[in-house]
Amino acid sequence: METLPTIWFIAIAVLWTGYLFLEGFDLGVGMLMKLFARNDKERRVLLNTVGPVWDGNEVWLLTAGGATFAAFPNWYASLFSALYLPLLLVLLGLIFRAVAFEYRGKINTDRWRTSWDWAIALGSFVAAFGVGAALALSTTGLPLNANGDRVGGAFAWLTPPAILGGFAVVLFALVHALAFLMLKTDGEIRHRARRWLIRWLPLGLVPIAGWVLLVQFQHGKWWSWALTGLAVVAAVCAWLLARKAQEGRAFILLGVFLAGGTAAIFSAVYPVVLPSTLDPAFDLTISNASSSDYTLGLMTVVACIGLPLVIAYQAWTYWVFRRRISADLIPQSHTVLPAVLQRALTRQS
């Protein structure tokens, strides 16, 4: 076994799991802006639940992509070039979403807020779908030739596994967001989130379960099947605990479900990092896709120093903003003049 490439294969799997866990409820809350919230005050409650943390959550996406580029450059080159179009859409979705978070409250009109609400919801959907499709293709395969280049047109990536993976992440994000809102809000939003979670959790986890089972039937090993069983048990327990209003435990067990499912997928395809649907001989593995041992060793040292600091900082952020939010704490929308304009009007008067 190649130790350093294996360590970094596991590290990248952990980074993607961290991204899906943190950004999962984040993207889900964005989509729920138009699916769940009933009025502007409720939408502002939803925004305030993720307001202090959404940009920090996206660090995990950048870190996962950067780690793939540095540790497995051939994997990065083949995957990102083959998925240039969907990943460009993901980038645009994240940009529109980020701008909407900042601009939504700048003008006090319903039309202005509604436009940015749609930007948040659609940007969150596109980002979740694109990331899910990319991860699914990385575990089920792309039409790659012997050079690692994609064979086919710009939409050769648009396959049933890609669509399954896209909807798997979208629906998981929605379910995870409901669990987060149940934990982070109070009042009517909290109770409605619990009702929705109990109703939709079994259906919302079907696509991601299908993705896991697809990979297991293709490449499964005994330990990946055991991890799949763990994920199923965690999902059932999360649903039962949600029915009992044990919100924190339900949220954590959804995270266990995600961790078990992603671990099952990545451990099943190991040591392949990107299968070729044309010929198994063209598969990219941890051996032919990785950087040198020197590069991986240096990255390991940097990661051992930097990753704990990132985790500690994010944990501190969540602790500081741990209080529940309710609609009663949200003031009425009102127009605020910029400081420069306020000073100018004061001088004139």
Side-chain angles (χ1 to χ4, degrees), residues 75-285:
W75 179 11
Y76 178 93
S78 295
L79 182 65
F80 279 63
S81 60
L83 302 181
Y84 183 85
L85 180 59
L87 292 179
L88 176 62
L89 294 177
V90 168
L91 180 60
L92 291 175
L94 291 174
I95 290 173
F96 274 99
R97 182 171 175 269
V99 172
F101 275 124
E102 302 297 335
Y103 275 53
R104 183 186 185 276
K106 299 301 183 183
I107 297 179
N108 185 25
T109 65
D110 291 337
R111 182 177 179 181
W112 175 267
R113 286 190 292 265
T114 299
S115 299
W116 291 117
D117 288 342
W118 277 111
I120 294 172
L122 294 177
S124 299
F125 173 81
V126 169
F129 186 90
V131 168
L135 290 176
L137 289 171
S138 191
T139 55
T140 58
L142 281 165
L144 302 177
N145 60 22
N147 294 324
D149 298 325
R150 183 197 66 208
V151 176
F155 292 95
W157 61 272
L158 193 58
T159 61
I163 296 172
L164 176 65
F167 281 110
V169 173
V170 166
L171 292 182
F172 173 79
L174 289 170
V175 168
H176 199 34
L178 290 172
F180 177 72
L181 292 176
M182 187 173 66
L183 181 66
K184 193 69 174 66
T185 63
D186 210 349
E188 170 58 23
I189 296 177
R190 174 186 179 185
H191 300 308
R192 196 189 322 144
R194 177 171 170 264
R195 293 194 301 268
W196 279 42
L197 180 65
I198 295 170
R199 180 183 303 171
W200 296 110
L201 186 147
L203 181 62
L205 298 185
V206 167
I208 196 170
W211 175 15
V212 174
L213 291 176
L214 175 64
V215 174
Q216 296 310 309
F217 283 121
Q218 290 179 340
H219 311 287
K221 308 170 180 70
W222 70 265
W223 58 83
S224 62
W225 277 107
L227 290 167
T228 302
L230 172 64
V232 172
V233 171
V236 173
C237 291
W239 184 75
L240 293 173
L241 289 170
R243 289 176 60 89
K244 295 180 179 180
Q246 297 186 22
E247 299 154 345
R249 293 180 180 180
F251 181 76
I252 291 173
L253 280 172
L254 271 178
V256 174
F257 164 80
L258 175 68
T262 53
I265 290 172
F266 279 95
S267 64
V269 298
Y270 175 85
V272 176
V273 296
L274 184 57
S276 171
T277 57
L278 300 180
D279 189 336
F282 301 156
D283 289 350
L284 295 179
T285 68

Side-chain angles (χ1 to χ4, degrees), residues 284-324:
L284 295 179
T285 68
I286 63 170
S287 299
N288 61 23
S290 66
S291 297
S292 66
D293 285 346
Y294 176 81
T295 300
L296 295 177
L298 182 61
M299 289 174 59
T300 303
V301 174
V302 174
C304 288
I305 297 173
L307 191 57
L309 294 175
V310 172
I311 294 174
Y313 174 77
Q314 282 205 290
W316 176 80
T317 303
Y318 279 95
W319 175 256
V320 170
F321 295 100
R322 67 189 183 278
R323 301 294 183 186
R324 290 183 181 271

